[in-house]
């Protein structure tokens, strides 16, 4: 249980109290997972931290919270701090850790650089004046677009996997893994099983039980996947694919706006500050990518179509390039923990 | 139209009566002694209710009234006030539904160590969610809630409450209403009162629940000749971790490793059969047993075989690889402890595979079940203190919820919850029944069937 790392050992202290209590059972997978282990070692704490998705239900249920109670619990915050630890410690290659540690700076620099490169490309290759009059496929020929996007995907997925495997080997010690655990984990991720607070919804924002957070996250997730699939039809993005792209982008921008609103409403200090400072820049980046995506079909035929499209592509590229070094590692670590959780729990029921 | 009602207290009983009363159109004021952040008294630390029911979706089977009555008599011996006990038992049947209608979500399927129980229903999030939900509700119903507002005295004459004195907005004030409901819990948080029975020992008793349950309204009613119910000195007391805070540790400080090991006091003596009977029933005797030891302290010692057999503890165990080292760490005489344990290990009779039937009856203090030898390092110890859950004594009420005095009944003074639990449970405790007493009597006082 003792870990060199004070963040992990503080979380272990808090979770030991939870393990003796378990009143939060039913809110999310953490409360079932905790029951599989009488003694919580540091790998397991990290696993629990990635099963936590920061809904704050347990915070609003706990009678032992800081600052008023001697136990000084703040589970979502403690879990968030450990989660941030795992995000940074599993960055691969390791020397790129500084990127994830400075999320605002990294996002701003990367986005400005990408937009600048795009604008330079437009003005130097085509001339700023002429640029807006050219057809889209001249500006970005499909023959260039496809290999570049492929390359970007391979890069992102490659690094994600590298990071994921490093995480998996620490939290799991290479043991239990099952196909049905994998299937159930994927199911939980897709259907947001843990976002339902055991039938009571999430207590954020404003301590009201509802499905605001689940809806916002679903919009972002499904919107993003939808946009990703429909853009693969490039350059044929005006018919049905265009409609799908519009809807996807709309979902991403509304979902991210809702998440930003939700974070801004947070007043009581029930989440990790570090987590917030990582969430904000990335959510804003996604929001901007979403908005420029919405403008793609809307601006068709206007003089600024090409400018918007190029800017949108630049932002999307940043999303993918930063993915393994930003908030966007969370799908990887979380999915892995969901798979482990489901593999473990299927094993328990036998 | 509605009348003016003052509710004294801010836990489950008070809230249930405020909801019932406000729903009937009364103008309700609720006085909670604690600040907002720790509102809810002992109800804040609860998690389940026991109620008579047919098969329903919150439990695994039916629990007839008769069985509930037998269970209550089983723990308590007899009813001090059979009329009220019957009323609570009968009315408990409507309780889960009422709570459900008032925004409480019950668990329907529980994985892990807690399985859906037949007799008790568990609500999501536990007691804090329960009371917070009710507070939100009464605010919607227009109840005026005052925090940091302890009532200090009740002014009674001619079988009527004329007014109460309470701390409101930072100063002592006298306020009056048409009707008063006292739902301020027991006096378990009042060390001075406890010392009347326990003397110096009371300093070392941990109060598991709210520090605001000081029983002032109860004492004031006693002073006005209210009749009492429930055993005077007694309280529900279990063994808790000595390292826990003096108040408000709730459920997490309890230690239930006892059947799996041995318990010794500071003089390295065992003092009671750790394996006696069925654990849930025995759980509650260990508080008193520990309270009778020197310094109100004892230690439970187990070996590595016991890991995972009992509920995890809030504080880590004290560990060592030999009994002597362990004794050193917890301040016991190493030789004496080692001798005690080897005597214990050597006389164990194992009948069959099931450790339930392993015993050591040759010792001055036998261990009648689960006598597992303590021989596999690492060894673990937990320091024990007595932890008081609640006190039993309260005021007597009649079947309308009104407080009974030596010379009559209070026309406009009602009691609900733990302050009146002695009517139903004179001593002993049945898990999940504290809330049931509070909800049923609270609703009764609030006007359920009375008006
Ligand atoms: C750790 C623990 C776990 C428990 N678990 C369960 C369980 O799962 N199920 C169950 O049924 N029971 C449980 N119980 C028992 C249960 O808590 C009580 O029986 C029940 O909560 C009593 O409710 P009440 O409203 O009468 O009193 P309380 O909830 O204790 O409320 C008393 C209220 O009165 C206020 N008050 C005190 N003095 C004054 C004053 N002078 N003026 C104004 N206000 C005052 C207090 O601040 C408090 O708000 C548990 C108890 C403990 C300690
Ligand atoms: S967060 Fe609080 S209420 Fe929930 S399990 Fe932990 S200690 Fe218990
Ligand atoms: S914040 Fe939500 S997701 Fe995280 S541990 Fe608490 S209940 Fe689970």
């Amino acid at each position: 249980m003792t870990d060199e790392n004070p963040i992990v050992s503080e979380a272990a202290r808090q979770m030991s109290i939870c393990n003796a209590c378990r009143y939060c059972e039913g809110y999310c997978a953490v409360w079932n997972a905790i029951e599989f282990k009488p003694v919580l070692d540091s790998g397991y704490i990290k696993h629990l931290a990635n099963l936590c998705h920061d809904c704050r239900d347990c915070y609003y249920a706990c009678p032992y919270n800081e600052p008023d109670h001697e136990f000084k619990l703040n589970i979502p915050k403690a879990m968030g701090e450990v989660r941030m630890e795992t995000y940074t410690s599993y960055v691969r290659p390791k020397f790129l850790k500084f990127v994830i540690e400075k999320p605002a700076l990294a996002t701003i620099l990367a986005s400005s650089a990408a937009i600048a490169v795009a604008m330079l490309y437009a003005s130097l290759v085509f001339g700023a004046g002429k640029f807006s009059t050219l057809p889209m496929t001249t500006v970005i020929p499909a023959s260039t677009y496809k290999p570049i996007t492929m390359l970007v995907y391979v890069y992102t997925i490659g690094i994600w996997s590298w990071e994921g495997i490093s995480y998996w080997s620490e939290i799991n010690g290479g043991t239990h893994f099952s196909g049905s655990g994998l299937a159930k984990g994927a199911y939980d991720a897709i259907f947001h099983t843990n976002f339902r607070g055991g039938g009571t919804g999430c207590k954020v924002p404003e301590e009201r039980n509802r499905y605001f957070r689940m809806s916002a996250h679903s919009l972002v997730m499904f919107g993003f996947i939808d946009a990703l699939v429909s853009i693969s039809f490039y350059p044929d993005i005006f018919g049905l694919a265009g409609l799908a792209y519009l809807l996807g982008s709309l979902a991403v921008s509304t979902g991210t706006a809702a998440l930003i609103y939700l974070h801004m409403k947070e007043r009581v200090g029930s989440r990790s500050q570090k987590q917030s400072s990582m969430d904000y820049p990335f959510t804003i980046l996604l929001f901007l990518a979403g908005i420029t995506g919405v403008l793609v079909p809307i601006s068709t035929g206007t003089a600024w179509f090409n400018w918007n499209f190029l800017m949108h592509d630049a932002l999307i590229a940043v999303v993918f390039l930063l993915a393994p070094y930003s908030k966007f590692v969370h799908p990887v670590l979380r999915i892995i923990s969901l798979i482990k959780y489901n593999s473990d729990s299927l094993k328990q029921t036998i | 139209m509605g009348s003016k009602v003052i509710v004294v207290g801010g836990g489950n009983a008070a809230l249930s009566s405020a909801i019932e009363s406000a729903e009937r159109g009364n103008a309700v004021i609720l006085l909670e002694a604690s600040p907002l952040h720790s509102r809810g008294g002992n109800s804040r630390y609860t998690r389940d209710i026991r109620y008579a029911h047919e098969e329903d979706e919150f439990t695994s089977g039916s629990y007839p009234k008769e069985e509930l009555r037998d269970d209550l008599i089983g723990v308590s011996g007899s009813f001090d006030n059979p009329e009220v006990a019957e009323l609570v038992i009968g009315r408990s049947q409507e309780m889960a539904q009422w709570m459900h209608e008032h925004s409480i979500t019950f668990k329907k399927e529980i994985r892990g160590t807690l399985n859906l129980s037949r007799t008790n229903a568990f609500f999501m999030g536990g007691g804090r969610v329960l009371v917070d939900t009710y507070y939100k509700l009464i605010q919607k119903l227009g109840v005026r809630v005052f925090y940091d507002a302890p009532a200090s005295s009740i002014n009674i004459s001619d079988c009527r409450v004329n007014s109460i004195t309470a701390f409101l907005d930072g100063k002592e004030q006298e306020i009056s209403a048409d009707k008063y409901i006292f739902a301020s819990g027991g006096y378990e948080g009042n060390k001075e009162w406890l010392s009347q029975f326990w003397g110096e020992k009371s300093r070392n008793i941990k109060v598991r629940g709210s520090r605001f349950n000081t029983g002032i309204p109860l004492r004031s009613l006693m002073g006005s000749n209210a009749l009492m119910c429930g055993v005077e000195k007694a309280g529900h007391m279990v063994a808790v971790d000595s390292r826990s805070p003096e108040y408000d540790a709730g459920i997490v400080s309890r230690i239930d490793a006892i059947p799996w090991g041995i318990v010794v006091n500071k003089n390295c003596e065992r003092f009671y059969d750790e394996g006696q009977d069925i654990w849930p029933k025995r759980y509650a005797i260990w508080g008193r047993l520990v309270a009778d030891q020197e310094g109100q302290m004892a230690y439970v010692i187990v070996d590595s075989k016991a890991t995972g057999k009992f509920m995890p503890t809030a504080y880590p165990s004290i560990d060592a690889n030999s009994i002597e080292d362990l004794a050193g760490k917890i301040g016991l005489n190493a030789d004496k402890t080692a001798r005690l344990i080897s005597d214990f290990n050597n006389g164990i009779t194992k009948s069959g595979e099931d450790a339930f039937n392993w015993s050591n009856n040759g010792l001055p203090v036998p261990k009648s079940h689960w006598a597992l030898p303590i021989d596999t390092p690492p060894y673990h110890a937990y320091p024990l203190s007595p932890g008081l859950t609640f006190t039993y004594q309260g005021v007597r009420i009649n079947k309308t919820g009104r407080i009974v005095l030596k010379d009559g009944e209070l026309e406009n003074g009602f009691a609900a919850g733990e302050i009146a639990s002695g009517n139903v449970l004179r001593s002993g405790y049945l898990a999940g029944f504290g809330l049931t007493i509070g909800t049923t009597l609270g609703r009764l006082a609030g006007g359920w069937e009375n008006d």
Side-chain angles (χ1 to χ4, degrees), chain A residues 8 42-50 82 86 90 167 170-171:
Chain A
V8 180
S42 78
Y44 207 71
I45 292 287
K46 291 175 188 172
H47 165 56
L48 293 177
N50 281 290
V82 174
T86 61
Y90 296 105
Y167 174 64
E170 173 163 352
I171 61 158

Side-chain angles (χ1 to χ4, degrees), chain A residues 17-18 21-24 31 58 61-64 73 75:
Chain A
I17 292 173
C18 292
C21 170
R22 299 181 176 177
Y23 279 21
C24 287
W31 307 109
C58 59
C62 189
Y64 311 117
L73 298 198
I75 297 300

Side-chain angles (χ1 to χ4, degrees), chain B residues 194-251:
Chain B
L194 295 176
S195 71
Q196 285 179 16
F197 308 120
W198 291 96
E200 281 289 288
K201 290 180 181 174
S202 60
R203 270 197 298 164
N204 295 325
I205 293 177
K206 309 268 182 192
V207 176
R208 300 175 72 207
S210 170
R211 68 193 73 205
F212 294 96
N213 284 5
T214 50
I216 304 303
L218 175 61
R219 180 171 275 179
S220 188
L221 289 167
M222 282 167 87
S224 300
N225 284 327
L227 282 180
M228 293 289 118
C229 262
V231 175
E232 184 187 6
K233 174 183 167 174
H236 183 264
M237 201 142 68
V238 304
V240 298
D241 198 306
S242 306
R243 295 164 290 184
S244 47
E246 193 177 359
Y247 297 91
D248 288 284
I251 195 76

Side-chain angles (χ1 to χ4, degrees), chain B residues 99-364:
Chain B
M99 290 172 72
H100 186 59
E101 282 160 15
H102 290 84
S103 309
I104 304 300
T105 310
F106 287 99
K107 296 186 186 180
K108 295 202 178 141
E109 175 219 10
I110 306 176
R111 277 204 267 193
T113 52
L114 298 168
N115 286 306
L116 217 54
S117 130
R118 180 174 65 87
T119 54
N120 293 41
F122 291 75
F123 38 89
M124 286 293 298
R128 186 182 155 202
V129 172
L130 177 88
V131 299
D132 283 2
T133 306
Y134 286 168
Y135 272 103
K136 254 184 235 169
L137 213 70
I138 61 170
Q139 261 136 6
K140 262 195 220 148
L141 289 168
V143 174
R144 286 178 65 202
V145 179
F146 291 87
Y147 296 104
D148 301 295
S152 50
S153 70
I154 306 168
N155 315 311
I156 293 174
S157 61
D158 301 330
C159 290
R160 273 192 71 82
V161 182
N162 299 314
S163 66
I164 61 166
T165 310
F167 225 70
L168 289 180
D169 302 324
K171 54 181 189 293
E172 199 142 84
Q173 298 186 29
E174 202 176 314
I175 50 170
S176 55
D178 304 316
K179 177 172 171 177
Y180 302 81
I181 298 169
F182 301 101
S184 48
Y187 58 88
E188 54 277 340
N190 190 333
K191 287 280 174 105
E192 183 215 306
W193 192 335
L194 295 176
S195 71
Q196 285 179 16
F197 308 120
W198 291 96
E200 281 289 288
K201 290 180 181 174
S202 60
R203 270 197 298 164
N204 295 325
I205 293 177
K206 309 268 182 192
V207 176
R208 300 175 72 207
S210 170
R211 68 193 73 205
F212 294 96
N213 284 5
T214 50
I216 304 303
L218 175 61
R219 180 171 275 179
S220 188
L221 289 167
M222 282 167 87
S224 300
N225 284 327
L227 282 180
M228 293 289 118
C229 262
V231 175
E232 184 187 6
K233 174 183 167 174
H236 183 264
M237 201 142 68
V238 304
V240 298
D241 198 306
S242 306
R243 295 164 290 184
S244 47
E246 193 177 359
Y247 297 91
D248 288 284
I251 195 76
V252 306
S253 59
R254 68 167 169 355
I255 300 284
D256 53 13
I258 291 170
W260 302 104
I262 58 165
V263 179
V264 298
N265 62 19
K266 286 189 169 167
N267 304 318
C268 304
E269 297 151 347
R270 287 176 59 242
F271 49 89
Y272 199 82
D273 179 355
E274 301 88 350
Q276 201 199 50
D277 210 318
I278 308 302
W279 177 240
K281 250 184 169 173
R282 293 292 116 198
Y283 173 58
I285 65 173
W286 279 92
R288 176 165 304 265
L289 289 169
V290 172
D292 287 335
Q293 306 308 309
E294 187 190 324
Q296 292 69 56
M297 281 278 290
Y299 300 89
V300 56
I301 299 174
V302 295
D303 71 1
S304 61
K305 295 194 295 296
T307 308
K309 293 228 163 64
F310 49 90
M311 274 295 282
T313 53
Y315 294 91
S317 56
I318 299 160
D319 306 329
N321 280 319
S322 73
I323 294 291
E324 287 78 2
D325 284 355
L326 189 71
K329 281 188 175 173
I330 56 183
L332 297 182
N333 180 303
D335 294 338
K336 261 175 112 176
T337 314
R339 216 171 322 123
L340 178 88
I341 291 187
S342 84
D343 288 349
F344 172 76
N345 289 346
N346 292 334
I348 293 173
T349 324
K350 299 179 179 177
S351 27
E353 286 298 301
D354 187 354
F356 177 78
N357 297 319
W358 297 4
S359 59
N360 185 340
N361 293 323
L363 300 167

Side-chain angles (χ1 to χ4, degrees), chain A residues 61-94:
Chain A
C62 189
Y64 311 117
N65 282 345
E66 60 172 18
D68 302 307
H69 198 281
E70 284 92 332
F71 287 147
K72 303 219 177 312
L73 298 198
N74 188 333
I75 297 300
K77 187 166 153 195
M79 292 283 98
E81 302 275 313
V82 174
R83 209 157 46 237
M84 299 310 290
E85 272 302 295
T86 61
Y87 291 177
T88 46
S89 57
Y90 296 105
V91 159
R92 296 291 180 274
K94 285 187 181 172

